[in-house]
Amino acid sequence: MGNIGAMSIGMLAKELREKFCSDPVWRLDPTDYTMQEVATKARQFFFDLHYQALTDKPVGSHELQFWVGGNGSSETHGEIWRVTIANGVCDPPEQIAGQGEFKISYAGQPEAINRLVNGYGQALPQALLDVGADPANLDSLLAHIESRTYAPLVSPAMPVSDAIALADFLVETTKQFVRFLPGADTVGGETDICVVNKHEGFKWVRRKHHFSATLNPGGH
């Protein structure tokens, strides 16, 4: 889902940002908040406030994932949480990376990264079943394969510049992979990149602008 009703997810995300900054009910205290609190409020905003208010809700199979990443006010390392609206149901936010987990997290069109990082494509599980693998042992078999093929591209203390370059590389690889596959280009366009860490907080690294800075001085 790229929208809820007549509003795009991008526009809704900016409205949520404004609420976090200025709305007395929604405002986050910069000195006292957790990432779970942020994710829970994001769920409330997207699902309770907007999706549930639709007179004509989407029909058929549909899904929206909204990821929330960053550091709690007193935490050294970051977390990633995911809010999912799937076919009209929205469970509590799911933590997909905790403070002690240093890994690559991704979704959407995962085939290229699966092959590059995990060492096998999404079709491998079915291929193993086709040649007689026991379904009961499939998960352990895939775990064994990944233990031998996984590419450890991330380390906890890697320089921020390397993390930025790695994220950019994986996104660009996915774009080019999808480009040359048969069918529509489902990944493309310019990529926004930001960094969130304990000391500098949220900082843009690269951001697309729809309006020329020369015509709009001081714009954001």
Side-chain angles (χ1 to χ4, degrees), residues 25-200:
V25 176
W26 290 77
R27 185 178 183 276
L28 292 174
D29 181 352
T31 65
D32 184 21
Y33 70 89
T34 67
M35 292 310 301
Q36 183 174 13
E37 175 190 358
V38 177
T40 299
K41 287 188 174 182
R43 179 196 178 279
Q44 181 182 354
F45 177 81
F46 283 102
F47 185 66
D48 296 338
L49 196 61
H50 287 277
Y51 184 92
Q52 292 287 60
L54 291 176
T55 302
D56 298 315
K57 293 183 173 60
V59 295
S61 179
H62 59 279
E63 180 175 295
L64 162 68
Q65 289 190 16
F66 189 82
W67 289 34
V68 179
N71 294 57
S73 57
S74 62
E75 306 298 344
T76 298
H77 297 299
E79 304 170 33
I80 302 175
W81 292 75
R82 177 170 57 199
V83 176
T84 303
I85 301 174
N87 303 325
V89 177
C90 186
D91 292 327
E94 173 191 7
Q95 186 182 52
I96 57 178
Q99 296 177 41
E101 299 177 78
F102 304 97
K103 62 181 182 179
I104 298 170
S105 298
Y106 55 97
Q109 295 288 348
E111 182 68 14
I113 299 179
N114 276 349
R115 292 184 178 211
L116 183 65
V117 178
N118 295 334
Y120 58 86
Q122 292 174 281
L124 180 61
Q126 186 59 52
L128 293 172
L129 294 174
D130 291 344
V131 296
D134 184 351
N137 296 329
L138 185 60
D139 288 344
S140 61
L141 182 57
L142 290 172
H144 175 74
I145 293 172
E146 188 171 325
S147 71
R148 301 299 181 92
T149 60
Y150 183 80
L153 303 182
V154 172
S155 64
M158 69 190 303
V160 172
S161 58
D162 285 354
I164 294 168
L166 175 59
D168 196 26
F169 165 69
L170 293 175
V171 172
E172 291 301 318
T173 298
T174 299
K175 288 181 188 177
Q176 295 305 314
F177 183 83
V178 170
R179 174 188 174 189
F180 292 107
L181 286 176
D185 292 347
T186 53
V187 182
E190 298 180 57
T191 305
D192 293 338
I193 300 177
C194 70
V195 171
V196 184
N197 64 30
K198 177 181 179 180
H199 298 290
E200 282 78 38

Side-chain angles (χ1 to χ4, degrees), residues 15-23 26-27 45 49:
E15 288 205 358
L16 179 59
R17 177 182 65 190
E18 290 183 355
K19 285 183 175 293
F20 283 160
C21 293
S22 58
D23 189 307
W26 290 77
R27 185 178 183 276
F45 177 81
L49 196 61

